[in-house]
Every structure is written in structure tokens, then in C-alpha cells.
Amino acid sequence: MDIRCRKTLCKYNDRFTCKAKEILINGKMICQTYTKDEENDKAIDTTKSLFEKTPDFAPQRDSKALCIMCKASCLFNRNGKCVSNGITLNAIDEKPFCISFLKK
């Protein structure tokens, strides 16, 4: 499973890959696991050099090592667990929205 997080200020973010033990997406499609890293106060903006240099991504995580719980009315929600092939959390807004969401 490809778990990409663009919230570079999250303490679980390791080069755009989530390293949390579990992820909870609430009913409003927001990652409840997101925790701001108090030691890191600068967001990384990769969009400025996106076509010049490839961002450094951490290796993918095995979905068996991670529990992704979901409370959203999403096509990939099966009894509170995400069955998607991967999820991506957005960095544009202040809140970490799951942009892999597909309405049922």
C-alpha cells in the first residue's frame, strides 16, 4: 500500500511517507492521527522545483504493518477499515484531508 502524506509538519512524516503505527480518517475525511512536529516549524514546498528535481521519497510501507481506520462514507471503507491500494493526504489546506476519498 502506498501511503503518501504531504503534511511535512507532521511528526509521523518521513520524506512523504507516513510512519505512524495506525491512521484514523474521520467522517470529514481528515486524518486524526496528524500531530504537528513541534521541532519542525518549516513546511517543505516541493511544488517550486517539481519539474526540476524529483522529491526524496521514503520507501513504501507494507499495509500489513499498518492499520488504517476510516469513518468516512468512502467507497474504500469496509466496516471501518480502509481497503484502498493507497492513500494520499493533502498539504494545501491547514487540515490533512484524505484525497484518495471516493464517495460511496
Side-chain angles (χ1 to χ4, degrees):
M1 175 179 278
D2 190 20
I3 303 166
R4 294 291 171 204
C5 180
R6 298 178 184 160
K7 296 300 284 183
T8 56
L9 293 178
C10 183
K11 75 176 191 175
Y12 300 113
N13 189 320
D14 176 19
R15 295 172 289 150
F16 304 100
T17 299
C18 182
K19 297 298 183 178
K21 292 182 181 178
E22 61 183 32
I23 296 173
L24 171 61
I25 305 297
N26 70 15
K28 295 182 179 182
M29 300 153 318
I30 297 172
C31 178
Q32 291 296 122
T33 309
Y34 170 77
T35 305
K36 187 174 179 182
D37 185 356
E38 298 301 326
E39 295 178 17
N40 179 11
D41 62 351
K42 290 189 178 182
I44 300 168
D45 184 6
T46 57
T47 58
K48 291 180 182 179
S49 62
L50 187 63
F51 297 106
E52 299 167 13
K53 172 175 99 169
T54 305
D56 182 25
F57 292 106
Q60 292 189 95
R61 294 188 64 193
D62 187 352
S63 61
K64 294 176 185 173
L66 178 66
C67 178
I68 302 174
M69 298 167 289
C70 182
K71 294 183 179 180
S73 180
C74 179
L75 182 67
F76 302 117
N77 185 342
R78 296 286 188 278
N79 299 320
K81 292 198 176 191
C82 181
V83 295
S84 173
N85 286 335
I87 66 171
T88 301
L89 298 176
N90 198 2
I92 295 172
D93 197 356
E94 184 178 317
K95 297 176 183 171
F97 284 99
C98 177
I99 58 175
S100 306
F101 170 81
L102 288 175
K103 189 174 182 177
K104 269 187 182 177

